[in-house]
Amino acid sequence: MKELKLCNSDYRFMSIVWDYAPVRSGDLVRFCQEELGWKKSTTYTEIKRLCEKGLLKSEKSVVEPLVTREEVQARESDFFIERTFGGSLPRFLTAFLGGKKLSQREAEELKQLIDRYQEQ
């Protein structure tokens, strides 16, 4: 199984790849310089490193992700909830809301989500 936990700079880089994929490596260098302030060598090092981790594919100067943003977000969310809240979604939601009130619409959306994922 691929390691999908990314540090902040890896995630920011992957966000650019997800936004523009498939993207020519030269364009990716330009995007990373504009959005991250990276040098060309930094971008190429990151491409190589994430290819070695199995997260990217780079062929004929075209870079493509091998994992989706949603896959990474789901895995990182699971890790965070497990580590921080002992895997308890109710404890996570309580901390996340922090005493804020939900609108009627937000409460309904959450109820629908819970119903959709509830074990039968």
Side-chain angles (χ1 to χ4, degrees):
M1 181 176 296
K2 294 179 193 110
E3 172 62 44
L4 297 184
K5 188 172 180 300
L6 302 175
C7 68
N8 288 340
S9 62
D10 289 347
Y11 188 85
R12 290 172 48 215
F13 174 79
M14 286 295 295
S15 288
I16 293 170
V17 174
W18 288 317
D19 288 345
Y20 296 101
V23 60
R24 297 194 55 75
S25 57
D27 292 332
L28 189 53
V29 166
R30 184 170 42 86
F31 296 142
C32 288
Q33 201 290 313
E34 292 169 359
E35 297 182 34
L36 304 174
W38 286 8
K39 294 180 180 178
K40 179 179 179 178
S41 60
T42 304
T43 299
Y44 281 112
T45 298
E46 186 76 348
I47 291 169
K48 182 178 184 232
R49 209 171 55 69
L50 293 179
C51 282
E52 289 170 355
K53 287 178 81 172
L55 301 177
L56 289 179
K57 172 175 78 169
S58 180
E59 293 178 354
K60 298 180 182 175
S61 298
V62 176
V63 178
E64 294 184 73
L66 295 177
V67 295
T68 66
R69 186 186 317 249
E70 293 76 19
E71 287 174 301
V72 171
Q73 289 170 338
R75 187 75 59 87
E76 287 194 359
S77 296
D78 289 345
F79 175 79
F80 173 76
I81 291 169
E82 184 61 42
R83 180 190 61 175
T84 309
F85 300 99
S88 170
L89 285 174
R91 286 178 48 208
F92 165 74
L93 285 174
T94 301
F96 180 76
L97 291 172
K100 294 179 227 139
K101 298 294 181 188
L102 295 174
S103 70
Q104 186 65 36
R105 184 183 60 78
E106 291 171 322
E108 282 302 317
E109 286 180 33
L110 285 173
K111 287 177 189 174
Q112 289 173 5
L113 276 171
I114 290 168
D115 289 345
R116 190 174 337 144
Y117 287 95
Q118 186 174 2
E119 292 178 357
Q120 298 298 324

